[in-house]
Amino acid sequence: MRFKGLFVLFLLACTLVLLSVLWLITRSKPAENAVIGMAAGLVTGWVGIIGGLTFWQRNRIRSLILNLPGIWQIKFILFATLMAMIEEAIAVSMTNLAPFFGVPIGQAYITASTDYWDVIFHHSVIVFFGWFVGWAILLTRLDFSPFAVFIISGFLGWVGEILAFGIQQVGGFAMWMLIYGLMTYLPAYCLPDAEQRQARPVRLWHYPLAFFLLMLISIGWVTFIQQIIPPHPAIHFVP
């Protein structure tokens, strides 16, 4: 437990240092500085406030979720989707607060659009949905701990950011680990016990296996939705 707490504190410290350094570097560039301010707002709202509440109330929330009727896999998928929607609500709010950060809307942004529903149905949550289904399948067979789900999801999100937005996202490792990891940590914490799920203990090789299987599921899911959803702009602002 102590290691887990120290690791999360390490990620938080790295994120704060990164954002502070970038804020100082970009002070003479209003648009770039505004993006750093938006990222700091997202980290404060999602990681600081929602993440803090997640840890503080996790046992009470787990009891509530376990007592809800329904198949636990469906509850996991829906709960993870809800968490992702909350994160995106904060992110889109930051994009819409561009004037607060000193620039017009569209000159600086951290989401593809100012429209929340456009973002979740065309750019973000719809993509993450494949991960959540993949996790529900894996957790049926294997007893990954909530912390392991947090780490693997965070790593997946970080790799996804690099693939989508370039090698410059490598430096954002800690921030993306926190942002994406929190989407699945609480849903994984609220699962029935391994005995009830008939899930087997996890071995070392299951961790890289989970990462690659989730990545393959994600690629397959994205390829599928691209075929059924009409062409849509990758971004709604001038790059």
Side-chain angles (χ1 to χ4, degrees):
M1 183 66 183
R2 186 177 180 183
F3 167 77
K4 297 173 185 177
L6 288 174
F7 185 73
V8 172
L9 288 175
F10 170 75
L11 293 178
L12 283 169
C14 289
T15 299
L16 292 175
V17 169
L18 174 68
L19 292 175
S20 298
V21 170
L22 290 177
W23 184 78
L24 290 172
I25 291 174
T26 61
R27 289 190 67 179
S28 61
K29 302 175 181 178
E32 293 181 19
N33 197 246
V35 170
I36 303 306
M38 292 173 185
L42 173 60
V43 169
T44 301
W46 173 241
V47 179
I49 297 175
I50 302 300
L53 288 172
T54 289
F55 185 76
W56 178 38
Q57 295 292 326
R58 65 192 186 284
N59 291 321
R60 183 175 297 180
I61 296 171
R62 182 174 189 267
S63 178
L64 174 65
I65 297 298
L66 289 175
N67 287 320
L68 290 175
I71 302 170
W72 70 260
Q73 290 94 337
I74 300 299
K75 289 193 287 184
F76 173 87
I77 294 168
L78 293 177
F79 195 3
T81 301
L82 174 63
M83 294 295 286
M85 290 175 67
I86 294 172
E87 184 275 334
E88 286 302 310
I90 298 171
V92 173
S93 296
M94 292 300 109
T95 292
N96 279 283
L97 283 173
F100 173 80
F101 294 104
V103 296
I105 289 178
Q107 187 174 338
Y109 45 86
I110 59 172
T111 55
S113 170
T114 55
D115 185 330
Y116 174 70
W117 299 109
D118 180 90
V119 170
I120 66 170
F121 283 121
H122 292 283
H123 302 280
S124 61
V125 179
I126 192 170
V127 176
F128 310 153
F129 188 79
W131 293 354
F132 305 151
V133 173
W135 266 125
I137 295 170
L138 285 171
L139 290 166
T140 301
R141 295 297 189 96
L142 296 167
D143 185 28
F144 286 98
S145 70
F147 185 71
V149 174
F150 169 86
I151 294 298
I152 296 171
S153 293
F155 197 73
L156 277 165
W158 176 56
V159 172
E161 290 290 330
I162 295 171
L163 294 175
F165 302 108
I167 197 67
Q168 67 270 21
Q169 297 300 327
V170 168
F173 169 76
M175 183 178 72
W176 296 124
M177 286 284 293
L178 289 167
I179 288 173
Y180 285 98
L182 278 172
M183 292 181 189
T184 52
Y185 170 78
L186 188 56
Y189 190 84
C190 296
L191 295 181
D193 293 334
E195 293 78 12
Q196 294 175 268
R197 298 178 357 241
Q198 297 183 331
R200 294 176 295 170
V202 175
R203 297 184 180 181
L204 187 61
W205 61 273
H206 287 136
Y207 295 99
L209 176 67
F211 172 81
F212 286 112
L213 283 178
L214 289 168
M215 183 64 74
L216 287 173
I217 290 171
S218 180
I219 292 171
W221 171 248
V222 170
T223 302
F224 171 71
I225 61 176
Q226 285 177 340
Q227 301 303 314
I228 63 172
I229 296 178
H232 194 81
I235 196 165
H236 296 265
F237 307 112
V238 176

